[in-house]
Amino acid sequence: MIEVNNLVKVYRSKKNKEVIGVNDVSLKIKEGEIYGIIGYSGAGKSSLIRCLNLLEIPTSGKVKIDGLELTKLSEKNLRKARQKIGMIFQHFYLASSKTVYENIAFALKAAGKSPKEIDARVKELLELVGLSDKLNQYPAQLSGGQKQRVGIARALANEPKVLLCDEATSALDPSTTKSILNLLKTINQKLGLTIVLITHEMEVVKEICHRLAVMQDGKVIEEGPVYDIFANPVQPLTKDFIQSVLQFNLPQQLIENRKGTIIKIQFKGAIAEESVVSDLFQQFKVKGNILHGKIEYIQDVPLGVFIMELTGEEKEVQRAINYIEERTQNLEVVEHVA
Ligand SMILES: Nc1ncnc2c1ncn2[C@@H]1O[C@H](COP(=O)(O)OP(=O)(O)OP(=O)(O)O)[C@@H](O)[C@H]1O
Ligand SMILES: [Mg+2]
């Protein structure tokens, strides 16, 4: 659905100094998926997403959406193509002098729809975002979450195939964030809309994204299905982000002064529901002291971590470790005190 090839965006500062926004990014985003892009401030996320609808003109590289190479289109055709790409922002950008109804109607008018079509569509959209009772209110009379719902309705007005979200929930409190994410999830499922979502919060990714790209210094440094990245982050930055939501590590003082072998076991997917640990104690003469245990659900798929101190005869402990390694393929000996 979206294909980005070797995209580069270089800005020129007033002193004619070059600032790199996006540095040679290539991506493929599939139809109907929710694709997350995460990175710290200045990583180039907004630059990248703004290049997707040519709100920012790429310095070089290609952007193809739904078979159309946007970077090659004339001004007029680009305007038309843009109607099929909705966008929402952190600060909503609603017209303050217009009512909720008028804010949404505006996008439809711009696309040349008749008043009758506009009226029916605005009402349908307000229903979809749960704001049917607010149509005559002004933005100042709405909460942040409600404003973002108007933003979403407006972005969906012309039935786009793609919705770009630049920090759409960053100005909202956690529970409002959740309700907006749920709305995006519903829209994704109901309308089959492809969603690209920029965030600096891993919690948001964990909640709704199917795949994820991690950005640093204008580059995509890691990319893949969200669950795989949570289970096996490779880059230090990705590990930092995962750590921020999963907190699977132990405080150092808990590890010190232990007599046994401390093992960390990670359970992925269905295996998180298996009885590996109880089987272990039935089969081997070892004792286990549980130091930490947690199962997180990444969109309903479990990812668990269990940290234990094993004590017993060294040979038996080793056999037990081999056994767990075989069953989970993911065991790390944190500390081994012989
Ligand atoms: N219009 C601009 N002119 C000059 N430099 C810019 C411009 N927009 C962005 N940059 C620079 O490009 C780099 C990437 O910025 P960008 O806004 O894409 O980052 P970001 O990941 O969206 O950050 P944030 O999380 O703070 O929104 C930064 O170094 C920034 O200073
Ligand atoms: Mg940004």
Side-chain angles (χ1 to χ4, degrees):
M1 175 51 108
I2 302 178
E3 214 179 310
V4 173
N5 285 306
N6 305 104
L7 189 83
V8 174
K9 175 69 196 177
V10 180
Y11 299 99
R12 271 191 188 280
S13 70
K14 279 186 197 129
K15 290 174 192 152
N16 218 20
K17 231 184 95 197
E18 288 191 346
V19 181
I20 297 181
V22 181
N23 190 356
D24 195 19
V25 165
S26 298
L27 284 177
K28 270 194 183 138
I29 299 173
K30 291 180 222 156
E31 182 162 6
E33 93 180 328
I34 304 184
Y35 193 92
I37 299 173
I38 196 165
Y40 286 131
S41 187
K45 307 179 298 295
S46 296
S47 301
L48 173 61
I49 210 168
R50 291 163 68 88
C51 280
L52 293 186
N53 59 1
L54 265 62
L55 215 62
E56 207 68 80
I57 307 293
T59 309
S60 63
K62 278 188 209 166
V63 176
K64 216 169 162 183
I65 293 190
D66 201 19
L68 268 184
E69 197 173 322
L70 300 189
T71 26
K72 272 192 178 158
L73 294 182
S74 65
E75 198 47 49
K76 188 174 154 229
N77 286 337
L78 178 61
R79 226 174 302 140
K80 221 166 142 201
R82 272 207 190 113
Q83 284 178 3
K84 294 291 161 197
I85 311 169
M87 188 157 183
I88 55 173
F89 307 86
Q90 178 177 3
H91 299 297
F92 325 121
Y93 297 121
L94 302 176
S96 59
S97 62
K98 287 189 164 80
T99 62
V100 166
Y101 183 98
E102 290 161 350
N103 262 284
I104 303 167
F106 187 74
L108 291 155
K109 237 181 254 168
K113 297 276 159 45
S114 74
K116 209 173 142 203
E117 280 173 309
I118 293 176
D119 191 63
R121 182 74 182 139
V122 172
K123 287 177 179 156
E124 185 185 6
L125 286 160
L126 285 173
E127 172 103 35
L128 177 71
V129 301
L131 285 184
S132 296
D133 55 335
K134 302 273 187 245
L135 81 175
N136 290 319
Q137 307 252 1
Y138 287 88
Q141 297 169 294
L142 303 176
S143 70
Q146 289 166 340
K147 282 183 203 160
Q148 195 56 288
R149 284 173 190 270
V150 179
I152 292 172
R154 182 183 55 185
L156 297 180
N158 293 305
E159 299 175 66
K161 294 195 162 170
V162 172
L163 179 65
L164 307 176
C165 314
D166 191 351
E167 306 270 5
T169 58
S170 296
L172 308 174
D173 64 57
S175 99
T176 312
T177 292
K178 221 164 193 160
S179 79
I180 293 293
L181 293 180
N182 278 335
L183 175 61
L184 291 176
K185 221 191 257 182
T186 307
I187 290 166
N188 166 255
Q189 286 162 0
K190 240 185 180 168
L191 312 176
L193 199 74
T194 307
I195 298 181
V196 185
L197 190 149
I198 282 181
T199 181
H200 55 262
E201 290 171 289
M202 211 55 183
E203 197 58 55
V204 169
V205 172
K206 178 172 161 256
E207 202 68 36
I208 68 164
C209 294
H210 304 129
R211 281 199 303 143
L212 173 68
V214 183
M215 279 191 88
Q216 187 173 32
D217 298 331
K219 283 189 177 296
V220 169
I221 57 164
E222 192 159 354
E223 206 252 356
V226 166
Y227 191 88
D228 295 357
I229 291 189
F230 267 83
N232 277 319
V234 177
Q235 299 295 333
L237 176 66
T238 316
K239 288 181 181 168
D240 271 5
F241 275 121
I242 306 289
Q243 176 73 14
S244 71
V245 277
L246 295 186
Q247 285 164 356
F248 277 164
N249 284 347
L250 271 188
Q252 193 57 34
Q253 72 264 29
L254 239 163
I255 298 176
E256 281 161 14
N257 308 320
R258 293 268 157 199
K259 290 196 191 71
T261 301
I262 299 178
I263 57 169
K264 181 171 162 186
I265 316 165
Q266 186 167 286
F267 300 92
K268 288 183 215 165
I271 201 163
E273 290 151 7
E274 284 184 26
S275 55
V276 180
V277 176
S278 63
D279 292 354
L280 174 82
F281 295 123
Q282 277 187 1
Q283 294 189 32
F284 302 94
K285 277 202 206 103
V286 290
K287 283 191 171 171
N289 181 13
I290 297 165
L291 303 177
H292 185 59
K294 193 172 188 180
I295 295 183
E296 279 286 341
Y297 285 82
I298 300 164
Q299 292 155 44
D300 302 332
V301 187
L303 175 65
V305 152
F306 213 71
I307 300 178
M308 264 190 312
E309 178 188 34
L310 292 182
T311 51
E313 256 181 55
E314 197 173 333
K315 241 183 166 171
E316 197 67 1
V317 169
Q318 195 50 53
R319 282 181 61 211
I321 288 177
N322 293 346
Y323 170 80
I324 307 171
E325 219 156 32
E326 215 167 82
R327 286 226 13 208
T328 68
Q329 264 116 42
N330 212 327
L331 176 140
E332 184 189 333
V333 177
V334 180
E335 186 105 325
H336 186 182
V337 188

